[in-house]
Amino acid sequence: MDIGTFSALAEPNRLRIVELLAHGPLTVGEIAERLNLRQPQASKHLRVLLEARLVSVHADANRRNYALQMEPLQEMDAWLNNYRRIWNERFDNLDHYLQELQSKPEQ
Amino acid sequence: MDIGTFSALAEPNRLRIVELLAHGPLTVGEIAERLNLRQPQASKHLRVLLEARLVSVHADANRRNYALQMEPLQEMDAWLNNYRRIWNERFDNLDHYLQELQSKPEQ
DNA sequence: AAGGAATATTCCTGTCAAGGAATATTGAAG
DNA sequence: CTTCAATATTCCTTGACAGGAATATTCCTT
């Protein structure tokens, strides 16, 4: 698991940017406006997200369109797989326990 | 999505602690030993993980057993759901594209 | 060529977090 | 009650990072 992903998402404004870009690519100005950020800060946060490969840029003349990149999130997803096993096991144990209760209803 | 989870995991040693605890609860000393950390740093990192609810403690006399807690990871999992939709869509699009190619093999 | 819009970068400052070293706490055993 | 083992906490220093303000860059328009 690449820690850069966690670091990038550990900042409130950057997390909001990611969630905003989930609905489609946006320009720096649009992001700054919707999140009530000053333009330089928006740029800086986007730079960090870019280095974490969480977004990509596509220059369109004066403007720059930032789009969400799924790879780091997919990596997170894959990383979580190890833990899903664990919490499923625990759930299974609970399940077995409940079935035990069912099979001996009045004890 | 709780940012505290990302912040806690954004530190290499803490991520390693979490991955270590995936195999079962451990004591502070065991964690420090296996990760080549000094005991105070291990304690401090565990404190952060505790505040992020990523681990729980169970005092056993002199020792303290730390165990992984799944809730924050499950929350991450739920948060990722929004994005799984997106990358599945894109995969579907690619899929359609490949089928188009198949239906017009020699063009 | 000049001006303006969109964006990036730089400099500065304050805050926060991490590691090292030392020390405090807690519990068990003699 | 003293000692020792396991763990937590404190103090200190250093480095990273975020925001503000100002400035640089790039590209379009006229």
Side-chain angles (χ1 to χ4, degrees):
Chain A
M1 178 67 207
D2 181 19
I3 282 213
T5 306
F6 287 141
S7 309
L9 296 176
E11 208 279 334
N13 291 314
R14 285 199 291 266
L15 184 61
R16 291 167 70 203
I17 290 179
V18 165
E19 290 174 342
L20 193 54
L21 290 181
H23 306 115
L26 287 176
T27 200
V28 178
E30 292 167 328
I31 295 174
E33 184 192 0
R34 303 203 192 183
L35 299 187
N36 274 312
L37 298 178
R38 314 197 181 263
Q39 176 266 319
Q41 325 302 334
S43 273
K44 286 189 239 181
H45 284 309
L46 285 165
R47 194 188 203 293
V48 175
L49 291 173
L50 196 60
E51 282 164 0
R53 304 179 168 269
L54 275 161
V55 301
S56 62
V57 217
H58 170 251
D60 174 29
N62 227 359
R63 322 209 158 165
R64 291 178 164 236
N65 276 301
Y66 282 86
L68 193 57
Q69 290 297 106
M70 291 296 143
E71 286 77 5
L73 300 179
Q74 289 175 328
E75 192 196 1
M76 265 187 50
D77 190 52
W79 180 76
L80 278 178
N81 268 329
N82 308 320
Y83 303 93
R84 279 193 206 102
R85 287 193 208 109
I86 302 176
W87 73 62
N88 284 335
E89 280 174 22
R90 294 191 187 167
F91 180 73
D92 284 353
N93 290 344
L94 176 61
D95 201 38
H96 290 158
Y97 172 67
L98 292 178
Q99 289 187 6
E100 296 262 337
L101 279 191
Q102 285 259 344
S103 60
K104 319 175 197 168
E106 48 260 295
Q107 204 237 43
Chain B
M1 178 66 209
D2 180 20
I3 282 212
T5 307
F6 287 141
S7 308
L9 296 176
E11 208 279 334
N13 292 314
R14 285 198 292 266
L15 185 60
R16 290 168 71 205
I17 291 180
V18 165
E19 291 174 342
L20 193 54
L21 291 181
H23 306 114
L26 287 176
T27 199
V28 179
E30 294 168 328
I31 295 174
E33 185 191 0
R34 303 203 192 182
L35 298 187
N36 274 313
L37 298 178
R38 313 194 181 266
Q39 175 268 318
Q41 324 302 334
S43 274
K44 285 189 238 181
H45 284 309
L46 285 166
R47 194 188 204 293
V48 176
L49 290 173
L50 195 61
E51 282 165 0
R53 305 177 166 269
L54 275 161
V55 301
S56 62
V57 218
H58 169 252
D60 174 27
N62 227 359
R63 324 210 156 163
R64 290 177 166 237
N65 277 302
Y66 283 87
L68 193 58
Q69 290 296 106
M70 291 295 145
E71 286 76 6
L73 299 179
Q74 289 175 329
E75 192 196 2
M76 264 188 49
D77 190 51
W79 180 76
L80 277 178
N81 268 329
N82 308 319
Y83 303 93
R84 277 192 208 105
R85 287 192 209 110
I86 301 175
W87 73 62
N88 285 334
E89 280 174 23
R90 293 191 188 169
F91 179 74
D92 284 353
N93 290 343
L94 175 62
D95 200 39
H96 289 157
Y97 172 69
L98 292 178
Q99 290 187 5
E100 297 260 336
L101 281 191
Q102 285 260 346
S103 61
K104 317 175 195 166
E106 49 260 299
Q107 205 231 46

